[in-house]
Amino acid sequence: NALQPWQGVESTFGDLSDRNGVAAVVQAIQPQIVFHMAAQALVRPGYVDPVGTLTTNVLGTAHLLDALRNVTNLEAIVVITSDKAYENDGSGKAFAEDDPLGGADPYSGSKGAQEITAHLFRRSYFMPQNIPLATASTSRSAAGSPAEQ
C-alpha cells in the first residue's frame, strides 16, 4: 500500500463555508497536526464567482482556524496559500515573505486575505498557546495548466 508511511492520517472533505460542519468535524477528529489545503484554486473561476472564492479561501480558513482554537492536543497548523497572495510588481523577482500582499483579481486578493487571516489567528490564539501556525505558498503545483487559470 503506497500510503503505509501515512498510517493514522485522516483526510476530510467538506464545505468550509459550513461553520458548524467544520466545527463538528474538528471536534470529532481532535487533530494533532493540520494541513489546510482546501481552496478555490484558480484565477478564472474567481472572476466568475468572486464571493464564492472569498467565502472558500478566506471565510473557510477562518472557520477552520476558529474550530481549531479549542483542540486540546493540537501541535501544529500549516495553511497552504499561493504565490498569487503577493502584489506582483512585474519585476520577475521571486516573492519573499515580507513582500506586500495584494493582487489585481478576486482569487489573488482572497489568497492575500487568507494570509492575513492566518496571521491574525496565529497572533491572537495560537501563539499564546505555543501552537505553531505557518503558511506556505505554492505556485501552480496543483492548480492545473496556465490555460485553466
Side-chain angles (χ1 to χ4, degrees):
N1 183 348
L3 297 178
Q4 281 299 328
W6 298 98
Q7 290 180 348
V9 172
E10 186 162 342
S11 181
T12 302
F13 296 87
D15 183 357
L16 287 173
S17 69
D18 178 3
R19 183 179 186 179
N20 293 331
V22 170
V25 168
V26 168
Q27 182 63 34
I29 294 173
Q30 290 291 301
Q32 288 179 279
I33 299 171
V34 174
F35 287 89
H36 170 37
M37 298 185 283
Q40 187 297 96
L42 298 173
V43 172
R44 287 186 184 166
Y47 281 108
V48 174
D49 185 10
V51 173
T53 297
L54 289 164
T55 298
T56 298
N57 295 348
V58 183
L59 194 57
T61 297
H63 287 163
L64 176 61
L65 295 176
D66 188 54
L68 291 170
R69 291 182 348 175
N70 298 314
V71 173
T72 57
N73 60 339
L74 187 63
E75 295 177 13
I77 306 164
V78 179
V79 176
I80 305 301
T81 64
S82 169
D83 64 341
K84 300 283 191 281
Y86 297 101
E87 186 67 40
N88 189 344
D89 64 8
S91 70
K93 73 171 183 67
F95 296 113
E97 289 183 13
D98 58 351
D99 283 344
L101 296 173
D105 62 85
Y107 170 76
S108 299
S110 77
K111 299 311 277 186
Q114 183 185 37
E115 286 273 359
I116 292 168
T117 300
H119 176 77
L120 76 88
F121 271 88
R122 177 188 311 111
R123 295 288 302 264
S124 297
Y125 303 108
F126 298 111
M127 280 178 69
Q129 298 179 57
N130 294 314
I131 298 170
L133 188 165
T135 58
S137 297
T138 63
S139 175
R140 267 195 247 180
S141 60
S145 70
E148 294 172 21
Q149 297 187 15

